[in-house]
Amino acid sequence: QAVSNDDQVNRSESPVAPRPAAIPNLAVISDDDPELAAAMQAARDTLDGARHRWLAATPEEREAQYFIKFFIDTGERREFLWLSPRHWSPFRIEGILLNEPRLATDLKAGELVDVPIERIADWLIRLPERTDGGYTLAVLKSRGRGVRDSSEAP
């Protein structure tokens, strides 16, 4: 089974290190869920386009609008978490962890984390007029599980 932390995150105004305060919204999902696997594959297939948009964005837009969902395997379970990217190469994303892990207890919200591209599960760009990405969120929303809408993601 996997745990998805699709929490609402409130970030402070600090430009250096946002201090998130997560409101629990936990979804336990099956490891062999074909619909979520397809959503994660769609997110990975479009990730490079999202990276190019991030590279073209201003630092303010990057911090406020771009979010990456990744997973960590913690023994028998997989936990999904969100980060705000600070450095993004074709192979790795480094960013600020936005929610408090429940299983990966060696990590804390607000810390800098480094994630290989292979562990990316989704991406989200929140624009004033629409939200792009959020493939896994759409699946969870369609089932009435996890987040109620993409505004409750990071």
Side-chain angles (χ1 to χ4, degrees):
Q1 288 189 335
V3 174
S4 181
N5 288 312
D6 289 323
D7 299 344
Q8 180 176 352
V9 176
N10 300 314
R11 297 186 309 160
S12 74
E13 297 301 317
S14 167
V16 178
R19 296 190 176 267
I23 299 169
N25 190 9
L26 190 65
V28 177
I29 53 177
S30 171
D31 286 338
D32 59 353
D33 185 315
E35 196 175 7
L36 278 172
M40 286 190 283
Q41 187 60 53
R44 286 188 202 106
D45 290 346
T46 56
L47 186 63
D48 196 51
R51 183 178 75 85
H52 286 287
R53 290 172 64 183
W54 181 84
L55 289 169
T58 67
E60 294 79 17
E61 290 169 335
R62 289 177 180 181
E63 185 171 339
Q65 298 175 348
Y66 289 77
F67 305 96
I68 303 295
K69 185 178 189 178
F70 67 100
F71 65 87
I72 296 176
D73 288 317
T74 59
E76 295 180 22
R77 298 180 88 182
R78 177 173 281 184
E79 184 168 21
F80 292 87
L81 301 163
W82 289 93
L83 66 80
S84 175
R86 296 299 183 259
H87 301 283
W88 190 341
S89 81
F91 311 103
R92 304 188 78 69
I93 299 175
E94 182 181 80
I96 303 296
L97 184 59
L98 295 177
N99 43 359
E100 199 66 51
R102 291 178 175 80
L103 304 175
T105 56
D106 57 325
L107 297 175
K108 301 285 181 227
E111 287 184 339
L112 191 64
V113 293
D114 185 39
V115 180
I117 292 298
E118 297 79 26
R119 290 195 346 221
I120 303 303
D122 207 346
W123 57 269
L124 185 74
I125 302 172
R126 188 173 293 135
L127 303 168
E129 67 280 0
R130 70 180 190 280
T131 299
D132 294 339
Y135 299 92
T136 62
L137 296 176
V139 171
L140 292 174
K141 181 182 175 186
S142 74
R143 297 175 181 178
R145 297 171 60 189
V147 295
R148 286 182 292 282
D149 62 52
S150 62
S151 67
E152 291 186 309

